[in-house]
Amino acid sequence: MKSGLTLLTFFVHILYLTGQETPTPPEGMVYVPAGEFIMGSTYGDPDERPRQIASTKAYFIDKYEVSNSEFAKFDPTFKFPPEKKNNAAVVTWSKADAYAKWAGKRLPTEKEWEKAARGIDGRVFPWGDTYDNTYVVWDQKETRGTSIAKPASPYGCYDMAGSVWEWTSDWYKPYPGNEVPMEQYGETYKVMRGGSNFNNHSFIRTSQRYYVLPEKIHVYPVGIRCVKDID
């Protein structure tokens, strides 16, 4: 259930945006305005707590995950089947970070990723609070953005639920105020977001966090969605 604070925040946000000039995003990116949003969850895994009001600066974020053909422009040694040129590239964290820097961008923080996925109203999935299987690219045989309903996040990003997991820049650490111990917390694992084709719908919630060794992704298909600071 959404609180009065959520609705108030939403309307204040809309009024603020009405009077602001929206910068034109670079090609292939969308604009996310500065401001507060609801982050975390009261019903998800322990590491998603506490649910909180977080904030970000304004930024641009890729509309789609980086494709195989796009990554190959950075790394000519990167190989993939020709028919999968528009599928999401699966790479280690260091390669994702290097690509982002090469492209004049960077990997998103957890805050930036979650805000781009859910907007400011605390929704469970990028499209709303009700799960719909037709909204998700489940099989890596499918190209980016080819779910039946083609749902976008509130800011216009595709495939932030399903397709491949997506790297963030953050180490896997507890949120401030979270007192539930986890032996994995620290600077060993990086956080990935968004779920993938072998996960059930609980893994593609906008607040879901998962951790993985940055250079040993093994069975985890993890891809890239970059952000760009606004000067």
Side-chain angles (χ1 to χ4, degrees), residues 190-209:
K190 286 291 187 179
V191 176
M192 57 183 186
R193 292 295 201 107
S196 186
N197 57 321
F198 66 93
N199 300 132
N200 63 39
H201 70 271
S202 68
F203 282 85
I204 65 173
R205 292 177 296 107
T206 54
S207 59
Q208 166 72 25
R209 311 172 72 200

Side-chain angles (χ1 to χ4, degrees), residues 28 33 64 66 87 128 132 162 199 207:
Y64 295 100
V66 174
N87 288 56
D132 190 322
N199 300 132
S207 59

Side-chain angles (χ1 to χ4, degrees), residues 24-47:
T24 301
E27 184 178 358
M29 305 190 84
V30 296
Y31 172 67
V32 180
E36 296 181 335
F37 72 105
I38 296 174
M39 183 175 184
S41 171
T42 58
Y43 51 80
D45 294 333
D47 63 356

Side-chain angles (χ1 to χ4, degrees), residues 60-82:
F60 299 120
I61 188 167
D62 287 342
K63 188 174 183 178
Y64 295 100
E65 295 151 337
V66 174
S67 70
N68 284 321
S69 61
E70 289 170 337
F71 189 82
K73 293 177 182 178
F74 158 70
D75 180 3
T77 66
F78 181 70
K79 304 300 181 183
F80 58 90

